[in-house]
Amino acid sequence: MSFFQVEGLVKRFGALLATDHVSLAVQPGEIHALIGPNGAGKSTLVNLISGPMPPDAGRVRLDGRDLTRLPMHARVRAGLSRCFQITSIFREATVRDNLLLAAQAHAGASFGLLRDRRHERPLAETAQALAERVGLAADQHRVAGTLPHGAQRKLDVALALAARPKLLLLDEPMAGMGPEDSERMTELIQQLKTDMAILLIEHDMKAVFALADRISVLVYGRVLVSGDVDAIRGNPQVQAVYLGTEEPAGAPA
Ligand SMILES: Nc1ncnc2c1ncn2[C@@H]1O[C@H](COP(=O)(O)OP(=O)(O)OP(=O)(O)O)[C@@H](O)[C@H]1O
Ligand SMILES: [Mg+2]
């Protein structure tokens, strides 16, 4: 059994089959990228995996545990962490306070609600380590909402890392970024994969080809093909989907 595994996930919105028996797996130290045209069902799949949306059928397993019916916070505790495209950032607070709050939230029952001074140091160390990890060490005293877009995205990743995930779910981390920020985010993600499994949903093909160990192509809610970078790059069906030269096999009439 794979470390992280999605088996036969199904989600319907009325008559629309947004997720059509999707199965995929990610091993530790691996980046599995999920690509597909607009409306393919990528975000729906992220929602099914991370918890806000229950699937109609199928399973989500991480490290031997079945997470399918667990609420979101329990999945986070089980090791599944997700970036929220900046919406999880407290914009009025400093970078450091954002990180401290996140570190505290995930410090577990031993810290919990305690206001004991002894516990301040480990939290501060965690916050510092998170800032360094994503390259925000020099920006810790800035108000988060005033950071440039690329830095806010890094902070968002740092907040997800505070949970010490076994699987990190990244939903379009490069969205709205210029080439320079994209490159920095690519480097950051590359460094993270040594410590966790990563499921990356991304439109930026340059980043996907640079990072992915495996790519699955989602079309009309279904995995069209799955393979390594070379296999996907050279696949005529994938080229057809992205160049729009023809309807992919299995497209609804
Ligand atoms: N809550 C919902 N209710 C009804 N239909 C939905 C809902 N969420 C998504 N859909 C539909 O499901 C399909 C898949 O949408 P989804 O947002 O998962 O695609 P996506 O691959 O993330 O697209 P994009 O690349 O534009 O982000 C689309 O047809 C969308 O309109
Ligand atoms: Mg989406």
Side-chain angles (χ1 to χ4, degrees):
M1 194 191 280
S2 295
F3 184 71
F4 176 73
Q5 208 165 8
V6 162
E7 298 160 15
L9 277 188
V10 173
K11 184 69 189 179
R12 289 188 180 84
F13 296 119
L16 176 74
L17 195 50
T19 308
D20 185 1
H21 298 87
V22 169
S23 298
L24 52 86
V26 194
Q27 301 296 351
E30 188 183 68
I31 296 178
H32 191 141
L34 190 67
I35 62 171
N38 289 332
K42 302 178 298 293
S43 294
T44 301
L45 190 59
V46 167
N47 286 331
L48 298 177
I49 292 172
S50 62
M53 205 181 257
D56 296 322
R59 305 209 157 278
V60 178
R61 288 180 210 274
L62 177 62
D63 201 9
R65 279 188 72 186
D66 188 334
L67 310 185
T68 318
R69 300 289 155 198
L70 292 184
M72 239 171 132
H73 62 90
R75 294 185 199 213
V76 173
R77 236 181 291 134
L80 196 154
S81 196
R82 162 188 183 177
C83 282
F84 283 93
Q85 308 201 338
I86 307 186
T87 54
S88 55
I89 294 173
F90 289 107
R91 298 181 58 80
E92 290 78 29
T94 62
V95 168
R96 182 158 181 84
D97 284 345
N98 267 278
L99 295 173
L100 280 170
L101 278 168
Q104 183 168 37
H106 298 293
S110 59
F111 294 145
L113 299 167
L114 292 180
R115 290 195 170 263
D116 191 321
R117 297 215 70 181
R118 279 176 304 164
H119 297 304
E120 284 172 15
R121 190 202 277 261
L123 288 179
E125 280 170 5
T126 303
Q128 177 68 27
L130 287 168
E132 284 169 12
R133 183 124 205 221
V134 301
L136 287 177
D139 297 306
Q140 288 187 76
H141 298 291
R142 292 184 66 179
V143 173
T146 67
L147 291 172
H149 182 76
Q152 290 194 26
R153 295 233 97 125
K154 287 182 184 170
L155 180 55
D156 192 44
V157 172
L159 297 180
L161 292 178
R164 278 179 268 140
K166 298 174 185 170
L167 179 94
L168 180 64
L169 208 53
L170 297 167
D171 192 2
E172 298 191 32
M174 321 306 190
M177 280 189 173
E180 224 172 88
D181 277 335
S182 284
E183 228 158 90
R184 270 190 228 137
M185 183 59 82
T186 300
E187 281 166 27
L188 170 59
I189 296 169
Q190 184 73 45
Q191 286 159 15
L192 293 178
K193 82 166 190 172
T194 51
D195 292 333
M196 63 199 76
I198 296 177
L199 184 60
L200 169 71
I201 288 90
E202 185 51 63
H203 276 294
D204 180 338
M205 297 303 278
K206 190 174 172 222
V208 167
F209 287 143
L211 286 167
D213 298 293
R214 173 168 279 274
I215 300 172
S216 291
V217 184
L218 205 64
V219 181
Y220 296 111
R222 222 178 295 170
V223 176
L224 181 70
V225 279
S226 188
D228 66 16
V229 170
D230 289 339
I232 296 302
R233 226 200 280 257
N235 185 298
Q237 267 183 301
V238 176
Q239 286 169 357
V241 168
Y242 275 91
L243 300 175
T245 50
E246 60 182 67
E247 286 296 294

